[in-house]
Amino acid sequence: MRTVHRVRLASILAIGAFALHQLRYLLAFGDSASAQLAQEGHRYMSDLLPPLAVLVLAAALATMVRGTEGASPTRVPLARRIAVFAGALLAIYVCQELFEGLIATGHASGLAALIAGGGWIALPLAVMIGTLAALLAHMLESVERVIAVIHAKRPLRLRPPSVRGRAVPARGISLLSAPLAFGLARRPPPPAPA
């Protein structure tokens, strides 16, 4: 059950990291952001959209699974959760930019990779996106609780469901499945191919 919770938090964090990276360039470079991203070796970011869509589905599925299991997570204070998300998003951004500085041609390296071209915008963006991520996690946990309450109110079936209709006797089945054996066919079967 803790694994499902971690999948949901990792999904929210991955989506937030993608949003932080893209918004940082969009705010710093405006209309020329896509050209700047291409120049600095960020083309791989557009390839991450399908896996991110899968992560969105994973977060939704994790919420439903935990809700049907009757999970009741402990409530983490919102301020603490915001700080953890913002710190994690900023750490991911810093590592990503430093790594891109090492491997991508045209990308600044070292401290310049973090500060150059409006890189300082990442700090307030990390706090803003971290707040949204914490609120989203809080909301999904509330949905999880609602699902758990609905799931708990369902009555348990004590006996199997009744079957309508009449059972066909065993001899009736053999008559229907082998009409040739009882002379019910109008014509003989076709000859076997030679």
Side-chain angles (χ1 to χ4, degrees):
M1 190 152 55
R2 293 291 298 163
T3 303
V4 175
H5 181 67
R6 288 182 182 133
V7 164
R8 180 175 56 212
L9 293 179
S11 300
I12 293 170
L13 194 61
I15 294 163
F18 179 81
L20 173 62
H21 186 274
Q22 297 303 92
L23 281 174
R24 175 260 191 251
Y25 277 89
L26 184 64
L27 291 175
F29 297 105
D31 293 337
S32 62
S34 57
Q36 187 69 26
L37 284 167
Q39 179 185 356
E40 291 186 12
H42 297 273
R43 290 182 190 195
Y44 72 94
M45 293 298 286
S46 61
D47 295 337
L48 295 177
L49 289 175
L52 287 174
V54 170
L55 288 175
V56 169
L57 292 175
L61 184 64
T63 300
M64 290 188 292
V65 166
R66 276 188 57 124
T68 58
E69 291 176 347
S72 177
T74 58
R75 295 201 71 124
V76 178
L78 191 59
R80 178 176 164 207
R81 184 171 272 175
I82 290 171
V84 168
F85 270 115
L89 288 171
L90 193 59
I92 291 169
Y93 173 78
V94 166
C95 291
Q96 182 179 4
E97 287 298 313
L98 290 175
F99 185 69
E100 288 169 352
L102 289 174
I103 63 167
T105 57
H107 194 288
S109 60
L111 188 59
L114 303 175
I115 298 173
W120 62 270
I121 296 172
L123 181 61
L125 278 176
V127 173
M128 181 187 75
I129 294 171
T131 302
L132 292 174
L135 290 172
L136 177 63
H138 183 73
M139 183 193 71
L140 289 175
E141 286 173 358
S142 297
V143 169
E144 180 181 298
R145 280 189 209 81
V146 169
I147 292 171
V149 167
I150 291 170
H151 190 69
K153 287 184 179 180
R154 281 192 180 160
L156 296 175
R157 288 188 173 228
L158 300 177
R159 61 186 177 103
S162 61
V163 178
R164 294 182 183 188
R166 198 179 65 136
V168 177
R171 62 186 162 94
I173 293 174
S174 64
L175 287 175
L176 296 175
S177 62
L180 292 178
F182 293 92
L184 299 175
R186 292 186 151 196
R187 61 186 173 111

